[in-house]
Amino acid sequence: MSAVPSNPDQRGEHGSHRVLREEVAPLHTVLVREHLVAWTAGNVSARVAGENLFVIKASGVDYDDLTWQGVVVCDLDGTLIDGVHSPSSDTAAHAYVYRHMEHVGGQVHTHSTYATAWSARDQEIPCVLTAMADEFGGPVPVGPFAIIGDDSIGRGIVSTLTSHRSPAVLMRNHGVFTIGATAKAAVKSAVMVEDVARTVHIACQLGQPLPIESTAIDALHDRYQNVYGQR
Ligand SMILES: [Zn+2]
């Protein structure tokens, strides 16, 4: 942890884990650029490797003003450890997921339009696109209805995603929560889930989309996760 700043405006801000906070702050611009968030809704978090801590966007901070100081440090109970702002109202949910899913290094939450529309109908997004098989390994599931502020959302995310390959869950009547090995991977899933939610929605307007056979889904998912891209 670096020294306490002498600037009185920064009282309560010890600048700990600044590198990770500087990495997470600009990831929020992707949410804005991809039209996944309105006003201050939505947030990105990242686990602090090797410590029982994570960093998360502060509550109600404008995306235009978001610097590393708009990203605060919390422990895995969601208690603020460093930062002058209150953490996101979704902090308890993120904390619960980090406590119960050790492989998760980053999380994203949005109310992106098409994906959230599926959640409002309590309908999973069926796996009818090869891009869905690649990224999600099957349908994108819907999680239970849960109120904001306690462990309910976190419990719903963990219970739904532990039985799916999907890194994204549509929490019913609420929105998208994604997990990843890193915050950037979780951002990618948040972008991809909105993209496929839109395409499959349009397909449903035109007729009945054709399902992909489970063996083909498995093969596509395996190839994309293990072979695709620059090695
Ligand atoms: Zn929300």
Side-chain angles (χ1 to χ4, degrees), residues 1-19 21 55-56 58 67-73 80-86:
M1 188 180 285
S2 52
V4 177
S6 53
N7 180 346
D9 292 340
Q10 293 181 308
R11 249 179 241 148
E13 172 55 78
H14 294 190
S16 65
H17 305 291
R18 181 161 169 173
V19 172
R21 293 160 81 183
V55 303
I56 187 166
T67 65
W68 68 272
Q69 286 173 305
V71 177
V72 299
V73 183
L80 181 70
I81 298 297
D82 192 17
V84 289
H85 302 285
S86 306

Side-chain angles (χ1 to χ4, degrees), residues 42 90 109-111 148 174-175 177:
D90 297 303
H109 172 49
T110 80
H111 302 155
I148 296 169
H174 184 169
F177 287 81

Side-chain angles (χ1 to χ4, degrees), residues 15-44:
S16 65
H17 305 291
R18 181 161 169 173
V19 172
L20 186 61
R21 293 160 81 183
E22 283 178 339
E23 195 180 306
V24 166
L27 287 174
H28 291 85
T29 62
V30 179
L31 307 186
V32 176
R33 186 185 75 209
E34 300 289 335
H35 306 290
L36 304 184
V37 291
W39 199 235
T40 63
N43 43 68
V44 181

Side-chain angles (χ1 to χ4, degrees), residues 11-216:
R11 249 179 241 148
E13 172 55 78
H14 294 190
S16 65
H17 305 291
R18 181 161 169 173
V19 172
L20 186 61
R21 293 160 81 183
E22 283 178 339
E23 195 180 306
V24 166
L27 287 174
H28 291 85
T29 62
V30 179
L31 307 186
V32 176
R33 186 185 75 209
E34 300 289 335
H35 306 290
L36 304 184
V37 291
W39 199 235
T40 63
N43 43 68
V44 181
S45 74
R47 188 194 290 273
V48 178
E51 296 183 51
N52 289 325
L53 299 171
F54 65 104
V55 303
I56 187 166
K57 179 179 169 286
S59 182
V61 175
D62 279 352
Y63 286 108
D64 291 341
D65 303 331
L66 189 60
T67 65
W68 68 272
Q69 286 173 305
V71 177
V72 299
V73 183
C74 293
D75 67 18
L76 294 191
D77 292 320
T79 303
L80 181 70
I81 298 297
D82 192 17
V84 289
H85 302 285
S86 306
S88 161
S89 51
D90 297 303
T91 296
H94 289 247
Y96 187 92
V97 173
Y98 287 125
R99 286 204 305 277
H100 291 87
M101 300 181 98
E102 280 184 10
H103 64 287
V104 172
Q107 298 178 57
V108 172
H109 172 49
T110 80
H111 302 155
S112 67
T113 307
Y114 283 88
T116 301
W118 285 88
S119 89
R121 291 182 309 193
D122 192 14
Q123 194 177 358
E124 68 175 20
I125 308 174
C127 189
V128 294
L129 304 169
T130 58
M132 289 189 68
D134 289 346
E135 178 74 20
F136 304 104
V140 178
V142 179
F145 178 78
I147 54 159
I148 296 169
D150 62 10
D151 278 353
S152 308
I153 293 176
R155 277 189 275 118
I157 296 168
V158 171
S159 67
T160 306
L161 291 185
T162 45
S163 57
H164 282 82
R165 286 191 292 210
S166 172
V169 53
L170 314 175
M171 290 298 285
R172 185 161 71 81
N173 302 101
H174 184 169
V176 175
F177 287 81
T178 64
I179 58 174
T182 62
K184 189 177 179 183
V187 170
K188 181 195 172 202
S189 289
V191 173
M192 299 295 278
V193 75
E194 178 63 7
D195 185 52
V196 301
R198 179 169 173 269
T199 305
V200 178
H201 170 76
I202 291 169
C204 289
Q205 308 313 299
L206 300 172
Q208 184 68 34
L210 301 177
I212 300 174
E213 281 191 29
S214 63
T215 51

